[in-house]
Amino acid sequence: MNSILVRKYNQPVPRYTSYPTVPFWKEQIGIEEWRQAFKAKFEEQNHTNGISLYIHLPFCESLCTYCGCNKKITTNHKVEDEYLLAIEKEWVIYRRLMKQMPVIRELHLGGGTPTFFSPRNLQRLLSFILKSSIIHPRHEFSIEGHPNNTTKEHLKMLYNVGFRRISYGVQDNDPEVQRIINRIQPFENVKRATEMARSIGFTSVNFDLIYGLPLQTPESIERTINQTIELRPDRIAFYSYAHVPWTSKAQRLFDESHLPSAEDKISLYLKGKELLVKNGYVDIGMDHFALTNDELYKAWKEGRLHRNFMGYTTTSTKFLLGLGVSSISDTGSAFAQNDKTLHDYYASVAENKLPIKKGYFLSEEDEVFRRYILDIICKGEVSFEEAHLPLLEQYTFPILAELEKDELIVWDKYGLNVTPQGHNFLRNICSAFDLYLQRSAKDNKNLFSKAI
Ligand code: SF4
């Protein structure tokens, strides 16, 4: 990989889990308008591909200081009951908007720490949702597990409900790095949790790793990756640490002098990527790597990938319902994000109201440019629509000319193909189609993290 280009394109750019991206959404949307958009798209999508469901479970027992997720730190497990009651209420409110039984194609439990909840409580939640749904015959159910508290009982229960994928937050195996990020997680725990999932029958294990954390060195990253390769997870997400202390207050606990410099961070990334690729992991794009036997790789090869707030997905659903505090729903033509604090979330559902905080209704132009961005991320190619040539000429083509000079793409006025080199810079290529970013007079430096 060309390190000069890595330096040149290491700019603040979105990860494009949505378009328009969240900073450009409206602070308030009309609930009635959202209900209508939800109903119309649900009817259309449910019987074609089924729907995706994301449930946010926000509690964690201790604070990892790098964390940018919506979470609530507590060791009091009595909170589980109140939260599950609220999710069940929210599901009932949405169920009233659905004329047909929902067909659940994809279900993901994310957090926070979903395995903070007891197996019995998770089972209660899943039974409540699934008893009034149809499970798609080719469903994909997955969960984010913490290696420290995922138990055999969790895994057995989830397996019996139909879960086959688990994603473990590993981040870094080095004890010094773990100490400074306040995530003490011995490698033995990661090994035990991985082997337990496999022995129970989980067919896809993902590890999340992070580069750019305080005290990381090329040697420590190498050790973490080599230990990871030993366990052979089917997928690896190798994320860049986003240092955004103005939004993630816990990051203020770091002494910034412990963070690697921009140059060192690039070296950590290049080292990690080189090791992964050398050991049989294929770079799918946008920080994701997969072994060739994994469904993510197969879907990428066959042009079946999709991307939403859960990251890359291998199912073809275009309708995502997010339940729980801060969750995001995506009907394909509208986004809505739930209340971000537990207090507001509980208050809304107690009044039988949809707990929506902000969102966005896409215009026709948004839908077309969203498709361009998704095609680049998921397929590495895109065809342009003639009707949008004036906009493309104004905002996009000048950037494409520059990207072509660096051999990241080949293009003409009919469309674009990403080159093998360009595959490393998908976020930058997508940003050429982000009309909000291009038109925005805002200081984008503080809106998004750098590509590396
Ligand atoms: S990184 Fe995960 S476990 Fe740690 S505080 Fe954030 S959500 Fe909780």
Side-chain angles (χ1 to χ4, degrees):
M1 192 170 163
N2 184 327
S3 56
I4 297 169
L5 291 180
V6 172
R7 284 169 184 85
K8 174 173 174 181
Y9 286 102
N10 189 21
Q11 304 293 335
V13 270
R15 290 178 198 269
Y16 292 109
T17 50
S18 75
Y19 179 78
T21 52
V22 178
F24 296 101
W25 292 5
K26 307 260 184 296
E27 279 309 314
Q28 279 187 329
I29 57 167
I31 298 286
E32 191 44 41
E33 209 183 334
W34 166 252
R35 287 159 58 97
Q36 295 311 327
F38 181 94
K39 283 204 276 193
K41 286 289 179 173
F42 172 78
E43 307 249 313
E44 184 188 302
Q45 290 295 320
N46 191 47
H47 68 269
T48 13
N49 294 315
I51 67 164
S52 299
L53 200 57
Y54 170 80
I55 305 177
H56 191 73
L57 299 163
F59 302 111
C60 304
E61 287 203 341
S62 65
L63 175 67
C64 311
T65 46
Y66 62 86
C67 177
C69 302
N70 183 299
K71 73 275 174 189
K72 179 85 186 161
I73 309 300
T74 178
T75 49
N76 174 11
H77 284 259
K78 291 198 179 119
V79 295
E80 294 181 31
D81 276 337
E82 185 183 16
Y83 190 72
L84 293 187
L85 265 179
I87 298 252
E88 288 164 7
K89 274 193 178 166
E90 189 188 1
W91 173 246
V92 170
I93 300 173
Y94 272 113
R95 276 297 276 113
R96 286 198 205 107
L97 300 181
M98 302 173 187
K99 281 200 191 137
Q100 316 151 355
M101 280 275 253
V103 179
I104 313 290
R105 176 82 198 261
E106 191 174 23
L107 170 59
H108 183 74
L109 303 181
T113 306
T115 46
F116 172 99
F117 286 76
S118 69
R120 194 171 59 87
N121 276 339
L122 284 182
Q123 182 159 36
R124 161 189 151 186
L125 171 69
L126 292 166
S127 305
F128 188 85
I129 304 256
L130 295 175
K131 78 179 178 208
S132 58
S133 311
I134 296 167
I135 299 180
H136 192 285
R138 280 176 292 128
H139 62 275
E140 286 194 13
F141 290 179
S142 54
I143 182 167
E144 288 163 23
H146 196 309
N148 284 355
N149 65 11
T150 302
T151 64
K152 201 180 265 180
E153 290 67 38
H154 280 115
L155 293 169
K156 275 189 180 160
M157 181 281 293
L158 292 163
Y159 181 86
N160 290 338
V161 176
F163 284 66
R164 295 293 179 271
R165 284 185 42 212
I166 186 153
S167 177
Y168 286 121
V170 175
Q171 326 308 0
D172 191 291
N173 291 333
D174 185 89
E176 277 307 292
V177 176
Q178 291 191 358
R179 183 186 54 74
I180 201 163
I181 63 175
N182 195 37
R183 189 181 174 107
I184 308 299
Q185 180 178 275
F187 177 64
E188 291 65 48
N189 290 7
V190 178
K191 189 165 186 270
R192 180 192 51 82
T194 305
E195 288 170 352
M196 211 160 54
R198 289 220 168 101
S199 71
I200 285 168
F202 281 73
T203 49
S204 182
V205 176
N206 175 84
F207 282 8
D208 283 349
L209 304 177
I210 303 182
Y211 64 89
L213 290 170
L215 297 184
Q216 271 181 339
T217 62
E219 294 71 37
S220 75
I221 275 276
E222 193 170 340
R223 275 195 302 277
T224 290
I225 300 237
N226 282 336
Q227 285 178 314
T228 297
I229 288 165
E230 235 178 80
L231 300 181
R232 217 76 194 139
D234 305 87
R235 299 180 191 180
I236 294 171
F238 188 44
Y239 292 118
S240 163
Y241 164 65
H243 191 60
V244 284
W246 51 90
T247 52
S248 300
K249 295 197 173 47
Q251 294 180 350
R252 293 182 188 156
L253 298 171
F254 290 149
D255 176 345
E256 293 199 351
S257 67
H258 291 312
L259 287 169
S261 66
E263 278 297 300
D264 289 347
K265 193 173 174 190
I266 290 170
S267 308
L268 295 174
Y269 169 67
L270 293 173
K271 167 60 76 191
K273 180 173 160 138
E274 181 199 324
L275 278 172
L276 291 174
V277 172
K278 216 191 308 179
N279 284 280
Y281 286 90
V282 179
D283 180 2
I284 302 296
M286 307 296 258
D287 320 315
H288 287 73
F289 295 79
L291 291 176
T292 52
N293 61 347
D294 190 77
E295 191 53 30
L296 190 70
Y297 172 81
K298 291 180 194 158
W300 175 62
K301 277 306 254 187
E302 293 161 15
R304 290 187 286 109
L305 274 186
H306 182 58
R307 186 167 171 86
N308 60 24
F309 289 98
M310 299 186 284
Y312 276 123
T313 75
T314 54
T315 61
S316 48
T317 71
K318 303 279 186 301
F319 187 101
L320 167 69
L321 170 58
L323 299 177
V325 65
S326 79
S327 282
I328 291 177
S329 300
D330 172 3
T331 70
S333 60
F335 299 114
Q337 180 168 32
N338 278 355
D339 291 317
K340 288 194 187 169
T341 66
L342 280 172
H343 175 270
D344 292 349
Y345 176 71
Y346 287 150
S348 298
V349 291
E351 289 175 38
N352 269 319
K353 281 189 353 207
L354 286 178
I356 288 169
K357 174 75 184 159
K358 65 194 285 192
Y360 198 90
F361 294 100
L362 279 80
S363 66
E364 200 191 321
E365 176 192 296
D366 293 331
E367 289 195 30
V368 173
F369 279 76
R370 179 190 201 195
R371 183 181 65 73
Y372 292 157
I373 287 175
L374 277 175
D375 282 352
I376 291 166
I377 298 175
C378 300
K379 299 180 184 156
E381 60 181 33
V382 58
S383 306
F384 304 142
E385 287 184 24
E386 207 174 334
H388 294 94
L389 279 180
L391 271 176
L392 288 163
E393 275 162 8
Q394 187 180 353
Y395 293 105
T396 306
F397 289 174
I399 303 172
L400 297 191
E402 181 70 21
L403 295 168
E404 189 176 42
K405 270 195 232 155
D406 288 327
E407 298 179 3
L408 305 188
I409 56 165
V410 285
W411 72 286
D412 59 21
K413 67 174 188 167
Y414 300 107
L416 165 162
N417 280 83
V418 176
T419 63
Q421 174 143 269
H423 188 66
N424 299 305
F425 301 93
L426 290 176
R427 284 167 75 173
N428 304 81
I429 299 170
C430 291
S431 69
F433 295 85
D434 185 341
L435 298 184
Y436 291 82
L437 197 68
Q438 303 306 335
R439 287 169 176 153
S440 165
K442 291 184 189 179
D443 180 4
N444 295 323
K445 285 200 179 78
N446 277 358
L447 288 182
F448 305 106
S449 60
K450 283 193 175 182
I452 304 288

